[in-house]
Amino acid sequence: MCEQKYRWTKKQIRQQLAVVRGEMAPTLVLKNATYLNSVRGKWLDANIWIYQDRIVYVGQDMPAKLDDETEVVDCGQQVIVPGYIEHHAHPFQLYNPHSFANYAAAMGTTTLINDNLMFFLALEKKKALSMIESLDELPSSMYWWCRYDPQTEMNDEEGHFLNSKIKEWLEHPLVVQGGELTSWPKVITGDDGILHWMQETRRLRKPIEGHFPGASEKTLTQMSLLGVTSDHEAMTGEEVVRRLDLGYMTSLRHSSIRSDLEKILREMKELGIDDFSRCMLTTDGSPPSFYEQGIMDRLIKIALDEGIPPKDAYGMATYYVARYYGLDYELGMIAPGRIAHLNFLENVFNPVPTSVLAKGQWVVRDGQRYGTDSVFPWEDFGMKRLTIDWDLSVDELHFSMPMGIELVNSVILKPYQVSVEASRDTLAEDHDECFFLLLDKHGKWKIPTMIKGFAKKVSGLASSFSTTGDIILIGKCIQDMIVAFNALKQQGGGIVLVENGEITSNIPLEIMGLLSSKPMEEVMEEEKKFVKALRERGYEHDDPIYSLLFFSSTHLPYIRVTQRGIYDVHKKTVLFPSIMR
């Protein structure tokens, strides 16, 4: 599969050689360019020749042959750096991989290395792999991970995580790493199935990314012995240094729920770190509005402002990343043979590009965007509108469970003793306890409980946006929860907020009830309106989008609401099983 993945044909390579020899004209010449030589960590002057999607020459000469099709650009007033790489993208936070890649490229992030979990769970193997190959036809470069676990407790986990399925994903040329490994406790305590897949990943000479928040030196050591090579969960400078000391490639994160980068960099410098070549930058799949201020350009700017040398600030989002993934023969530097991903900057200390080349195409030229109107045929790959062919009645919504779940920050749930009378149809708004229901998207089971700490005045909320695509209902009024569910059902998925029987905020998710088909900018506006409405009703945490996504995610403590029931993560037991409808 994917035979043309940056493997130019013999004819194309001969043409590229002919350009260097002066027998053919390049398609683009960047003359008088000051560029970052990533290997030397120096700013050099050169002329850069590009033929179609590939850099073919970097040096002092100008081409011997030019023709009417050759574009020559004088770059004397600019500096040029490699296109930025986001190595830890979750391209399904309301937006979809196509819309996110288009938006990211316009901001200079021309390569994404993406989580495959949503597509791994939702699609048949051949369609999923065919889809990622089609996405790679974008001007952006699109690579993927291969998950080993579902990040939750599923009723049919074994049916999804088959050896043959994982093997074919791992062997695909667009899949460049295993992980992120969220079920690492199972591996440590004897899960040889996942260990086998980890060994296969290393046999293929692909790295493995961990997910180790708060991990001790002993845990990190054991995971290194098991084959893990990187981690993105360091939350302090000390935790970064701990990982670096043990040989990990270490991601420095700045996201909607962990905006730590300034603090981490300061602490690293205080601890004596002056070599950042084993570090990478990531936004860790934040919701749409987080990216209004930029993507990797934003993180590079933070690093520059914190006094990190430019070669390292840019390297952590270009060359260091490509080198770690074994992709530096194609990406991460400006040199012959590399893909023509280039960012044009006003100066070294402003990483926001004024122009962007992606695979030799102008994505942005002097501030004007190009090629943003394309659409992707999601239905061709089985990613259709969510169909709910069953009904939900008021009589089914009973909330008599003595133990509820408490949202203590955006993503952490703890058990709590229910303190309100839950047998009524409506709850008072002078406290922050609400009805909570997780519903099977096929209508087979339900998990009713109470939630504390979500909001005081949410009357009815329905969401098909969740880890597994099952349906979440939250609210003070059972009737408005039913109205929200019916609106969700009618529109084919999304996030719906209802008050007094009327929709007050809505994010339609037309692709499987999980992703929006709209451009990134439109999804941003919908998200901002929803978050504003939710905050007005008492939501006080950092990120409600992640709250909805992670209710079922067992890689986080302490309890989770999963397909199997309310689940104690530490004890690995179901406290209250799901109820058949």
Side-chain angles (χ1 to χ4, degrees), residues 419-452:
S419 62
V420 299
E421 176 56 55
S423 61
R424 301 173 182 175
D425 292 340
T426 304
L427 300 174
E429 294 184 349
D430 60 354
H431 59 79
D432 64 353
E433 293 181 60
C434 298
F435 301 120
F436 181 99
L437 186 70
L438 183 67
L439 278 165
D440 174 31
K441 58 189 169 186
H442 304 297
K444 296 180 179 180
W445 50 260
K446 63 182 179 180
I447 304 170
T449 187
M450 300 290 291
I451 184 168
K452 179 178 173 60

Side-chain angles (χ1 to χ4, degrees), residues 491-506:
Q491 73 183 23
I495 305 174
V496 181
L497 192 63
V498 167
E499 200 165 276
N500 298 322
E502 300 291 332
I503 296 174
T504 59
S505 184
N506 187 13

